[in-house]
Structure formats: structure tokens, C-alpha cells
Amino acid sequence: MEETEESNANRKCTPKGRSFRGRTNPHDQQLLQYSNPFRFSNQNQYQSCPALLPLPPPIPLQLTATPPLPQNQGCRSKTHLQKPSWKLNKPPRATSSDTQVSVLTVLPGPPIQTAVEDTQRQASFPLRGENGRKVMGATQALVAARRPDSGGVEGPAISLLANHFLVQFDFLQRIFHYDVDISPNPSKEVARMIKRKLVEENSVELSGAHPAFDGRKNLYSPVEFQNDRLELFISLPIPTSKSLPPSGVLQAKHQQFKLFRINIKLVSKFDGKDLNSYLCKEGDDWIPLPQDYLHALDIVLRESPTEKCVPVGRSLYSSSMGGTKDIGGGAVGLRGFFQSLRPTQQGLALNVDFSVTAFHESIGVIPYLQKRVEFLRDLSQRKTRGLTVEERKEVEKALKNIRVFVRHRETVQRYRVHSLTEEITENLWFEDRDGKILRLVNYFKDHYGYDIQFRNLPCLQISRSKPCYLPMELCMICEGQKFLGKLSDDQTARILRMGCQRPRERKAIIDGVMRGAVGPTSGSQEREFKLHVSREMTRLNGRVLQPPKLKLGEGGLVRDLIPSRHDRQWNLLESHVFEGTRIERWGLISFGGTPDQKSNIPRFIIQLSQRCEQLGIFLSKNTVMSPQFEPIQLLNNVSLLESKLKKIHAAASNNLQLLICIMERKHKGYADLKRIAETSIGVVSQCCLYQNLGKLSSQFLANLALKINAKVGGCTVALYNSLPSQIPRLLRQDEPVIFMGADVTHPHPLDDFSPSIAAVVGSMNWPAANKYVSRMRSQTHRQEIIQDLSAMVGEILDDFYQQVSQLPKRIIFFRDGVSETQFYKVLQEELQAIRSACCRFPSYKPPITFAVVQKRHHTRLFRNESNRPQSSSSSSAGNQVLEENIPPGTVVDTVITHPREFDFYLCSHWGVKGTSRPTHYHILWDENQFTSDEVQKLVYSLCYTFVRCTKPVSLVPPAYYAHLAAYRGRLYLVERSEFTPFTTTTTCQLSRAAPPKTTPLPKLSESVKKLMFYC
């Protein structure tokens, strides 16, 4: 239990007794809750999950209310009542009537958690039907899996701190929600200026309140205003659009005040009783998280930081947190913090984390372009320089949507760059209000005494609908604009270095935010809304799981081991990989490189072959044809590249096993090379850079050998104690289980056209479960739900049957890339898709576990050594411990996890740089009925089986492989998806084109389809 200054415990919050899966629910116990004169709600014993706020209510999934079916007839038609025929090593398929699955059917077997469709709390509760399901009418809704116990118990305890700060709230404090309508519609920045002035000038009408504003439409007040409807007027010194001449020029002396009308209307009143009951685990499981009060408090705690910082998503950035750092290319790095209010087992907690992101540098547009665009580096020395058609496109892409202000006059007006003019500045004319045609360069000379210097450059077009021009040299980039372009490798490295703090330093920054002048506790809102936010991190106990024993190849001196180093890494100095392959037909092609670099190729071939031999992998010392040396420019010519690769393939009688490609530097042609090799030719490839061939260290050669071995069908390691022996209650040696992973990658934020790529992988061997096949599909732009999941899962089940000779008895599905606001939509649609895939096979209804895997969260865990007595001799050792990351195997499933649902944090890797980020696993559906210990042990053991390295990885391998496969699918479309994102009309009006029809991925060659070519 967290001990803080605010702690005074007496109030008890007794959850309603309930049973789950035939077990006693772990939360059927009393939770101590702090009480005080404000009736603060503060469950301080256990805690919750990592979620961005607000969490959505469960989305109803229509289930047919069918009577129980006879055993083995859930998805069968009458034609399958006869004995099926099993031919060609393929599992039998259900008929078309079986595959037309429009709804999930409530099937006999493992109990499925369901709930009433109505997502609102109702006075009358539903009746309970068979198996304890809640029934109302003919529809039921999915509810995420509940925690099956009070948490795991395996592994020694470790004292930790989490960057969650307890928030006590008076659950009787009413909040008044008002809708705000501002006319004319302002930007969020101007809207906040209006709100500030509104509060200053209308204290009586607002009953003296200092309400919280979200910058859009919602205002939250702790007291009720004088009237339910208010109409107020505020004027600000902002030029009106009517005063703007065609050139975008406005004389300062003619600046006008802009009048805004603000209509405020009471929408609702609510208190925190429902939220308090939810956190206390009172009431039924199916009742969703009360969003209104939670969302209001989240806005309240963001009010003060938003006034003082630059908000970007859920993070806030300020130069007061360490200034800005130039990262090159017209961008600067800025430090800030992330904050989000979340429900946890200890009550409400504010998750606060350190954050870094890139912003556009606030400089003139001309010097900005000199930094941003390579071909304009010398622009200041070549003022008469113009732009080619291609250069103009690149400049427009660099400046589009950036906000600028002018420096030839005083104004608070800001403009957004819409495009560039077709004509250069020298040739631009416009019509003034009197209908007189003026030349732009003369206008600026006559009105401002300014002689335009860069006359051969286009002007900025700042209006979507009419000509409105600004010369580039008179414009400045506004501060506080997030850099949305793709960062270069150098920029990315500099940003990562800015955000790479060791644990003690990161903890100090977060503590400073909570006590600082720009943090969530820096304003008066905490007092106004009767909140108390702890300034201390949450103390909790985690556990450290023990590493599994590993099995290596039979040919080595060391054939099994337990990773005993602190980082859980092991080496293969005297060992062989678990399954080595024979590579007799392979080729090598070089792109670019100096004569000295090329001379290292023979030595590289010999040493790589020797290192492979030491690892139990056979790589012939002779390539099928002499190494091919090509200029790097060949990678720019797709057709010529394909013919060269086919030539090497033909030298191996069209049976090439491996192609090693050595490049002078990273090149965009890498994508074409992979696509051609894996779809057109049918060979796996391994690329590396010449710069890594200089020293040819044993570690580099070993890493290369492991990747090559995995790609051609081998594997690095296996678990000595198989999964059935580790989890005997559920898993059996003769009942195979398939582990699946799924991910969807989306195009860059500025790309409005390229399709998203979905990938699904599945394990193909049991009980080793260390070889995976993949399926990839392109789908609708930015569509998160995997559209073709049913077909992809069905194909993988086909492959599994061919390998194992039976269908898997259980499906364990790890879904990556899902935010918490999408949990229930993904569960609703993708669980049904998996079921639909299973129904393609007669009488096949395996229990499914569906887990979401999250790496993009902001929960951090730190070692807590504050309770240890520190003598002068041990203080330095204590500081050293605080500098270290938490050990691999650290698991947390109490205090900061979800108050009701089944989730946990697992840090399975050793953090070499910065502060370790644990992976968050959220079990949304569990028909296999795992206990906390079982699923945590399963995931941690799998993390040791990743084929590319000899250490546990941070992400469970099925999800990791799905991520790699989705990235590979995106490479296949790099060349094809370069659409022109905008169409230009003759009136300088730009319109967004509709996204093109999704481009399908090229089909994989049959010879690589079942290999781990993507790893």
C-alpha cells in the first residue's frame, strides 16, 4: 500500500460478491479507501491498467440467442454429419453454409463472458441465464475478461516506484458541464484567449468560478452559473478577414478588434458516485467505466499546463524544461511531459512521464528552407535562383500547413501556408479593392519601402479559395508547431538522445514536473474542484520471474543453459543453434563500395562460413557464381535490378537458397530489392553495409548468421522445459497450440493516400513454437481493424495442419498496435473474424485467448531503494542501484493495473540505454481460463525464443514478428504508393483528392511463403 502524507484510512469500500469462471473472484475482498472531510475517493491497495483517457464503454456485439447445440455441431451443416474425408494433408472445410457467419454464436464449451447490450447504468438489472450469463431480450454484448485472481505469486518481490500519482476526489462534488459555441469559429489558441478574457470580465455571470476549458466546445465548472444559458461578447485585437487585402498585407494603424459571440448552455450535472462505485468494484461487471466525471477531471487537471505549455496530443511542451536543441533540418527538439488520468486498482491516478518531440524552428522562411532542403543550402548567396518543377514540389511539401507571421508590419495575425504560387514573385499581379491592377513587388516597395530580394521564388499562397500572397522573405515560422515531416536518421538520433535518460534522471524530471510551475498541480483547479494530487510516485511491489532453461543444438559442447547474467543474455561461444540449416546454393551481389571495400569480400565469405560452422550452420564457402559487383545506381533501375537478380538465381538452376547483398550505404532501392527477391524470384536475402565489413567482429558475424539461419528455416533456441511441462493444467504435449500475432502499420502522418498494411503470423511447430509463417494484406488507408483477418487466419490454420497433421486445440492471439479507445471495437470485430475462420472447418471450435500488446504507453517503473538504510559506505552503492533499470522478468499486476480487467506489465528485457519501458499485456478475451501466473510465465518464456538474438526481447515474439512482417509489406508498396496528394486548379484553389483504391500487395513466391523471410 502506498504511504503518503495524505493517507488517513478508515472508509471501507466493500465490493459486491461475485463469481467468475467458477472461481472466487480475487476482488471479492475489502479495499481500504482513504477518507477525509472531502470524502476523497482513494482506493489504495491495488491498481490499474495503462490506458489513454477516456476509455470507451464496451461496444455491443450482437450474439444470437440460440439454444445449446449438440456437441460438435456448432458450425456444421447437415452435409457434415457424415464422416469427413481428409485428403492431400488438408483439414476438411465446411460448406458454404458454414462459412456464412454473420454473428457469433453462443457455443457450448468454455464459458464466454457476455453482458447486456445497454451500456448505460439502469435501475433494473438483467436476469441471469445459463452459465451465469446476463440476458436481456435476444441480444448480448461482449465484456472484456475480468482478472481471474488477485494477481500472480511466482517470483521474488521487488520494491518499485511507478510514475502514477494518486488523485483523491470528493465523489459528492458536482461538476457542471456547459456547451460553448463561439462565433465566428476561432482556432484553439484564440479560443483560449477568449476563455481567459471571459472569466476576467464576467465573474458575476460565472458565479466567481474558474472553469476548465478543453479549447473546443466543453466547459466544466465546480459551481453553477447564474443562468443555464448565457450570451456574452468578447473583443480581441485580431484582424478580420474583411480587412485583409488580396496581397495579405494589412497596415498596422488600421488594425481592428474582432468581436466574438459566446453562447454558453448547461448540458449536464454529475457527481463522482458512479466513478467511485466503479473503482470500488461495486455493482455488476458489465457496467462500463463512467466517462463523464473521469473526462471532466482529466480536462480540469490539464487546464493549468495547457495555459502555460504547447499542447501536442496528450503531451505538453515548454522551453522552461530545458530549452530547445537544434536537431538540424529546420527542426528543434523540445522537452515536455505527458499526463493522463486513469482508473487503477488504487483509485484514480495521474500518469505523468517525460516526453521529447520535434518542432519547426521559429526562423525566417528563407533560412528555414536553407536548413530543410538540401538544394537550397546556398540560397542566400544566389538570390536570383529559381526553382525547377520538382524543386517547387519539394519546397511546397516542406512548407505546406505551416503557420507563419509577417515581419514587415505589426500584427498578431497568423497565416497557414496552403501552397505556393504558380508564378514567381517577379511576375505576380493582383487587383486591389478599387479594382486597380498592381504588381506585387511594386506594392511592397511603395507601401513598405521594401525591395523584394528573392524575386525568382514563388510566394506563399495562404488562402484556399482566393489569391492571397506573401513573399517568403517577409515571413517567419510561428513557434510551437510540431514537426510533422519525416525526420531524417540524424534528426531521429538527436531526438532519441534528448529523450534517453537513465532511471534516476528521468525520475527527477518527472518529480520536478509534479512540483513545478507548469505541471498539473501548478494552478488553482485542484482546489476549485476539491481534488488532491499526490506529489509522490506510487509505491508498489512487483515480482521478478525466473528465466527459463534453454535448449541448444546437439552438436555443441554446451547443450542447455539457464541465462544467469543480470541482463539474461547468453552466448553461443561453445554452442550450436538449436536447429542449423544447410545452405549450399547462395550468391552475393555488391552495390557500390570503394576498391578497398570490395577487396574485403573474399575474406568476408570465408569468415562468415567459418562462424556459421561454429554455430552449427553449414554455409558453403563457394557461391553459385563469382560475387557480382554493381554500381549503387543499379538500385534506381527496377527492371535492370530484377534482371541481375534473376541471372544469379538462374546460376543456381533456379533453386537459390540465399542472396547476400552488400551496400555502400542505405538506399531507397532496398525496398525494390526485397520485393523482387521475395515475390518475383523466390529467394530470401540478407543485406548489410560495407562499413560493417571493415573489422568483421565475431559478434557481427554471429548476428548475421542467426538471421540467415532463421530466414532459411532454422531456429536459434528452444525451451528446455516445454510449455506443456510449464503449464500442465492447460497445455498438453499431444494437443497442439498455435500462437498468433497481428499488427497493422499505417503510413506517415502526412501521407493521406497510401494503404495501411496488416500482417498476421502463426507458429507452425509444437511444442517448440519458435517458427512462424506470415500473411500480409493491404487495406483501407488508416483502417485499424484487420479487414481480411478471417481469410488470413484460415490460411495460417491450413499451414498449421500441414505441418502438425492436426488443427490447434487452442488459439492464443496477440494483437499489437491497438490503442485503448479501440479495444472493444477490435475485440468485437476481430474475435468474430477468428471464429469465422475456425468455422470453415467442421466441428472446430477451439477456445481463444485474445490479448492486446502495448509498447506505446507512458508507465515507467523505477527501483525503490528509499526504505533501505543508507550508511555512508553504502550510499554510493545505493545510487548505483538507482541508476540501473529494473531487471528482466519484472512483472506488475497490482496497484497500477486496471481495477477490474485482466492486464499486467512485464519488462522482459534489459534496458541498456535510457529507462526501460515495460510492455503492457491486456487480456480482452480468455476462453482458455489462464491464471495470472500461467499467462505471465507463458509470455516471459516465449520472449526467450526470438530467433534474431541471444537475449530475451521486450515484446512477445508473435507480436514482434507481426510488426516485422507488416513493415516488410509496406516496403512492397513504397514505389507504388507515391501518389500526388493534391490536385491544383487554375484558380489556385487546392482540393484534397479522394484516397485511391487500395493497392493489393504482390503475391509472395511459394518458395519463401513458409519461411521467416521478414525477420
Side-chain angles (χ1 to χ4, degrees):
M1 181 181 292
E2 178 185 354
E3 304 267 333
T4 63
E5 297 176 5
E6 310 84 14
S7 305
N8 45 33
N10 279 337
R11 185 177 182 273
K12 291 186 179 180
C13 186
T14 308
K16 197 172 184 178
R18 55 189 169 93
S19 62
F20 180 61
R21 300 182 188 158
R23 306 177 200 162
T24 302
N25 190 284
H27 299 311
D28 292 348
Q29 53 185 303
Q30 290 184 340
L31 292 184
L32 293 179
Q33 182 182 30
Y34 289 116
S35 64
N36 50 37
F38 294 135
R39 296 166 297 279
F40 281 142
S41 175
N42 169 18
Q43 295 76 31
N44 199 26
Q45 191 168 10
Y46 303 106
Q47 297 179 15
S48 136
C49 87
L52 291 181
L53 243 141
L55 293 174
I59 297 176
L61 172 61
Q62 302 304 316
L63 302 177
T64 54
T66 58
L69 298 173
Q71 189 64 30
N72 297 330
Q73 293 186 25
C75 295
R76 297 173 60 179
S77 68
K78 292 182 179 180
T79 58
H80 286 112
L81 294 176
Q82 301 173 359
K83 185 177 180 179
S85 61
W86 298 69
K87 297 179 180 179
L88 299 176
N89 202 30
K90 292 250 183 193
R93 293 299 181 89
T95 61
S96 59
S97 61
D98 295 314
T99 60
Q100 296 172 354
V101 180
S102 59
V103 293
L104 275 177
T105 304
V106 179
L107 301 171
I112 298 178
Q113 303 128 25
T114 60
V116 180
E117 177 185 1
D118 186 7
T119 58
Q120 303 294 325
R121 178 184 283 259
Q122 300 192 5
S124 60
F125 291 97
L127 298 174
R128 292 187 179 272
E130 293 184 18
N131 301 322
R133 297 190 185 96
K134 307 172 186 67
V135 179
M136 180 177 286
T139 61
Q140 299 174 324
L142 294 179
V143 172
R146 294 321 191 217
R147 196 177 305 279
D149 45 42
S150 57
V153 296
E154 291 193 9
I158 180 173
S159 183
L160 301 170
L161 295 172
N163 59 339
H164 288 218
F165 297 84
L166 192 65
V167 177
Q168 298 169 283
F169 65 98
D170 179 359
F171 60 85
L172 296 182
Q173 168 66 47
R174 300 179 81 190
I175 292 180
F176 300 86
H177 178 201
Y178 291 88
D179 176 79
V180 180
D181 180 43
I182 304 176
S183 180
N185 188 34
S187 66
K188 289 185 72 173
E189 182 181 0
V190 173
R192 290 201 169 276
M193 295 168 60
I194 293 170
K195 182 258 178 182
R196 283 196 294 269
K197 197 168 183 182
L198 184 76
V199 173
E200 291 171 3
E201 297 181 355
N202 299 275
S203 179
V204 174
E205 289 83 353
L206 303 184
S207 303
H210 289 80
F213 182 47
D214 70 351
R216 296 184 184 91
K217 299 276 291 179
N218 299 292
L219 199 68
Y220 297 95
S221 172
V223 296
E224 194 165 6
F225 296 163
Q226 291 293 319
N227 295 294
D228 290 349
R229 290 177 179 267
L230 295 173
E231 184 178 56
L232 304 169
F233 294 86
I234 296 293
S235 61
L236 292 176
I238 299 174
T240 63
S241 58
K242 292 181 180 179
S243 66
L244 195 65
S247 66
V249 177
L250 176 66
Q251 294 281 8
K253 61 184 179 182
H254 293 150
Q255 182 168 296
Q256 302 178 5
F257 279 75
K258 190 169 185 176
L259 186 66
F260 295 91
R261 182 179 66 185
I262 300 97
N263 285 312
I264 301 175
K265 179 177 67 174
L266 180 65
V267 176
S268 61
K269 312 172 186 178
F270 42 77
D271 57 33
K273 291 179 181 177
D274 286 349
L275 178 59
N276 182 60
S277 297
Y278 183 90
L279 295 170
C280 289
K281 306 177 188 66
E282 295 173 347
D284 285 322
D285 286 347
W286 60 269
I287 297 175
L289 173 68
Q291 290 294 319
D292 46 13
Y293 204 80
L294 191 60
H295 182 66
L297 294 184
D298 191 53
I299 298 298
V300 166
L301 291 173
R302 295 180 65 83
E303 177 71 11
S304 180
T306 304
E307 293 286 342
K308 303 167 186 175
C309 303
V310 178
V312 177
R314 301 199 67 82
S315 296
L316 302 112
Y317 297 91
S318 170
S319 57
S320 66
M321 292 188 62
T324 60
K325 181 177 181 180
D326 188 350
I327 63 171
V332 294
L334 198 60
R335 297 182 177 211
F337 61 94
F338 167 92
Q339 75 170 64
S340 177
L341 191 63
R342 29 183 333 98
T344 71
Q345 288 193 42
Q346 68 171 339
L348 280 189
L350 190 66
N351 180 203
V352 178
D353 190 26
F354 173 63
S355 180
V356 174
T357 198
F359 286 81
H360 293 287
E361 188 175 3
S362 182
I363 54 178
V365 168
I366 295 296
Y368 175 82
L369 288 175
Q370 289 180 266
K371 290 187 172 188
R372 178 84 186 268
V373 185
E374 181 68 35
F375 55 78
L376 294 181
R377 291 280 191 261
D378 60 348
L379 184 58
S380 57
Q381 285 79 43
R382 299 174 58 195
K383 295 184 179 180
T384 59
R385 188 197 197 286
L387 299 177
T388 66
V389 174
E390 291 302 319
E391 288 174 342
R392 185 186 171 282
K393 287 181 180 179
E394 190 165 344
V395 170
E396 184 173 80
K397 182 179 177 182
L399 293 177
K400 186 168 182 62
N401 290 323
I402 291 180
R403 285 181 293 116
V404 298
F405 64 92
V406 294
R407 59 185 180 87
H408 62 280
R409 58 183 173 81
E410 293 183 8
T411 177
V412 296
Q413 179 75 339
R414 300 294 183 260
Y415 308 96
R416 189 177 296 276
V417 178
H418 196 264
S419 63
L420 300 182
T421 57
E422 293 290 338
E423 293 287 346
I424 61 174
T425 305
E426 177 80 28
N427 299 336
L428 281 175
W429 298 73
F430 66 92
E431 183 179 347
D432 68 4
R433 293 193 189 91
D434 300 326
K436 187 177 179 180
I437 302 299
L438 301 176
R439 190 182 181 200
L440 187 136
V441 292
N442 293 340
Y443 176 86
F444 277 90
K445 182 70 173 177
D446 297 341
H447 284 73
Y448 298 99
Y450 186 85
D451 190 18
I452 301 294
Q453 303 292 308
F454 297 89
R455 297 188 175 204
N456 289 329
L457 294 180
C459 279
L460 304 180
Q461 164 70 7
I462 58 167
S463 173
R464 184 182 292 269
S465 58
K466 63 183 180 180
C468 198
Y469 312 135
L470 290 178
M472 289 186 186
E473 62 201 86
L474 295 179
C475 296
M476 301 280 293
I477 308 288
C478 296
E479 280 188 308
Q481 298 182 78
K482 188 177 187 303
F483 191 91
L484 294 178
K486 183 166 183 167
L487 295 176
S488 67
D489 290 345
D490 287 342
Q491 288 175 317
T492 302
R494 293 187 183 108
I495 279 287
L496 290 176
R497 280 196 293 270
M498 283 187 68
C500 187
Q501 277 76 33
R502 295 299 290 173
R504 184 167 61 173
E505 183 181 356
R506 192 181 195 97
K507 180 181 180 300
I509 293 173
I510 296 171
D511 287 339
V513 168
M514 292 303 296
R515 296 178 172 87
V518 299
T521 61
S522 60
S524 62
Q525 285 72 29
E526 190 177 359
R527 181 183 66 256
E528 293 248 345
F529 287 83
K530 296 184 180 179
L531 303 175
H532 188 282
V533 183
S534 173
R535 273 58 168 179
E536 302 293 331
M537 286 191 179
T538 296
R539 295 179 174 87
L540 69 154
N541 283 329
R543 294 171 290 111
V544 181
L545 304 181
Q546 296 305 301
K549 189 175 183 180
L550 304 178
K551 185 189 300 185
L552 302 171
E554 293 294 332
L557 294 176
V558 178
R559 300 181 181 183
D560 57 75
L561 58 86
I562 297 177
S564 56
R565 286 175 35 165
H566 71 286
D567 58 3
R568 296 300 183 240
Q569 192 167 352
W570 67 94
N571 64 60
L572 296 171
L573 287 179
E574 296 181 331
S575 309
H576 284 184
V577 295
F578 178 70
E579 184 180 338
T581 53
R582 290 188 62 85
I583 305 168
E584 297 175 341
R585 300 173 306 281
W586 68 285
L588 185 147
I589 186 169
S590 161
F591 298 100
T594 66
D596 285 345
Q597 288 176 327
K598 294 176 184 177
S599 66
N600 288 327
I601 295 297
R603 181 170 62 93
F604 165 70
I605 292 175
I606 293 173
Q607 292 192 16
L608 179 60
S609 178
Q610 291 173 345
R611 192 70 183 97
C612 284
E613 185 179 1
Q614 294 167 3
L615 294 171
I617 306 164
F618 176 80
L619 178 69
S620 173
K621 291 183 172 61
N622 300 311
T623 55
V624 294
M625 62 187 300
S626 60
Q628 303 294 294
F629 296 96
E630 303 292 344
I632 197 165
Q633 290 76 19
L634 180 68
L635 291 170
N636 294 322
N637 190 324
V638 177
S639 59
L640 191 55
L641 174 63
E642 184 167 356
S643 67
K644 289 289 184 183
L645 298 185
K646 285 183 176 178
K647 180 181 176 182
I648 300 174
H649 190 48
S653 301
N654 292 328
N655 195 19
L656 195 67
Q657 293 174 276
L658 170 71
L659 180 64
I660 293 182
C661 309
I662 305 176
M663 298 182 180
E664 176 185 317
R665 53 182 166 79
K666 292 183 179 179
H667 193 282
K668 64 180 182 180
Y670 171 86
D672 290 317
L673 187 144
K674 290 293 184 181
R675 175 176 53 80
I676 293 168
E678 293 158 5
T679 64
S680 177
I681 297 176
V683 61
V684 295
S685 58
Q686 178 60 54
C687 297
C688 53
L689 298 176
Y690 265 116
Q691 66 189 50
N692 294 323
L693 266 58
K695 296 181 180 179
L696 286 180
S697 68
S698 176
Q699 186 64 56
F700 168 74
L701 292 172
N703 291 341
L704 205 59
L706 293 183
K707 290 188 69 175
I708 290 172
N709 184 58
K711 287 181 178 182
V712 295
C715 60
T716 304
V717 71
L719 298 173
Y720 186 87
N721 297 312
S722 65
L723 292 173
S725 65
Q726 294 189 48
I727 310 175
R729 188 182 69 85
L730 291 179
L731 308 183
R732 295 171 56 90
Q733 196 87 11
D734 57 348
E735 294 183 355
V737 175
I738 190 170
F739 298 100
M740 289 186 171
D743 192 15
V744 179
T745 65
H746 303 293
H748 188 271
L750 293 181
D751 183 342
D752 295 319
F753 299 89
S754 299
S756 294
I757 306 296
V760 181
V761 302
S763 59
M764 288 291 112
N765 54 345
W766 176 258
N770 56 8
K771 293 183 181 181
Y772 290 76
V773 298
S774 66
R775 291 295 184 273
M776 300 172 289
R777 299 282 198 280
S778 61
Q779 61 183 43
T780 304
H781 176 77
R782 302 206 183 284
Q783 170 68 47
E784 181 57 46
I785 303 297
I786 301 177
Q787 294 172 333
D788 207 13
L789 181 62
S790 180
M792 297 163 80
V793 170
E795 291 174 17
I796 290 175
L797 291 175
D798 275 336
D799 288 348
F800 187 93
Y801 180 80
Q802 292 180 36
Q803 293 291 327
V804 185
S805 299
Q806 59 177 310
L807 290 168
K809 300 297 183 183
R810 302 177 189 272
I811 295 177
I812 304 187
F813 194 92
F814 294 97
R815 179 65 157 89
D816 195 8
V818 179
S819 67
E820 289 175 342
T821 57
Q822 298 171 314
F823 273 10
Y824 301 102
K825 183 172 178 60
V826 167
L827 176 61
Q828 171 187 330
E829 298 193 26
E830 295 189 0
L831 179 62
Q832 180 166 340
I834 298 170
R835 281 286 188 212
S836 177
C838 294
C839 282
R840 295 165 58 189
F841 311 104
S843 307
Y844 184 54
K845 302 176 291 293
I848 299 169
T849 295
F850 191 106
V852 168
V853 184
Q854 293 176 302
K855 284 288 285 183
R856 293 184 178 180
H857 61 81
H858 287 269
T859 294
R860 298 293 184 274
L861 301 172
F862 306 90
R863 294 176 184 257
N864 178 22
E865 298 294 325
S866 60
N867 294 329
R868 293 179 56 180
Q870 292 288 331
S871 63
S872 58
S873 59
S874 64
S875 61
S876 60
N879 289 337
Q880 182 64 36
V881 169
L882 290 177
E883 287 289 346
E884 290 184 359
N885 274 304
I886 55 177
T890 300
V891 65
V892 170
D893 56 8
T894 61
V895 188
I896 59 171
T897 46
H898 196 280
R900 296 175 179 231
E901 297 176 6
F902 190 6
D903 70 319
F904 61 92
Y905 292 93
L906 172 64
C907 183
S908 51
H909 70 294
W910 172 252
V912 179
K913 294 182 179 180
T915 304
S916 296
R917 187 202 313 252
T919 300
H920 180 232
Y921 296 89
H922 202 124
I923 316 299
L924 294 184
W925 194 261
D926 186 21
E927 295 169 355
N928 287 296
Q929 303 184 30
F930 281 101
T931 66
S932 294
D933 277 326
E934 287 170 342
V935 73
Q936 291 162 13
K937 181 190 295 184
L938 170 68
V939 170
Y940 188 48
S941 295
L942 287 175
C943 287
Y944 281 80
T945 64
F946 191 65
V947 293
R948 294 203 319 198
C949 56
T950 55
K951 59 184 177 183
V953 290
S954 62
L955 192 65
V956 67
Y960 204 143
Y961 293 140
H963 176 77
L964 295 176
Y967 173 75
R968 178 57 54 84
R970 174 140 328 270
L971 288 183
Y972 293 169
L973 290 181
V974 165
E975 179 191 22
R976 305 170 174 217
S977 61
E978 291 178 354
F979 302 104
T980 303
F982 296 94
T983 56
T984 309
T985 66
T986 55
T987 60
C988 294
Q989 187 172 2
L990 287 153
S991 59
R992 188 178 294 273
K997 186 176 180 179
T998 300
T999 306
L1001 294 179
K1003 289 187 177 181
L1004 286 170
S1005 169
E1006 289 297 323
S1007 57
V1008 302
K1009 196 172 185 179
K1010 296 184 180 180
L1011 297 175
M1012 297 178 67
F1013 61 91
Y1014 50 83
C1015 70

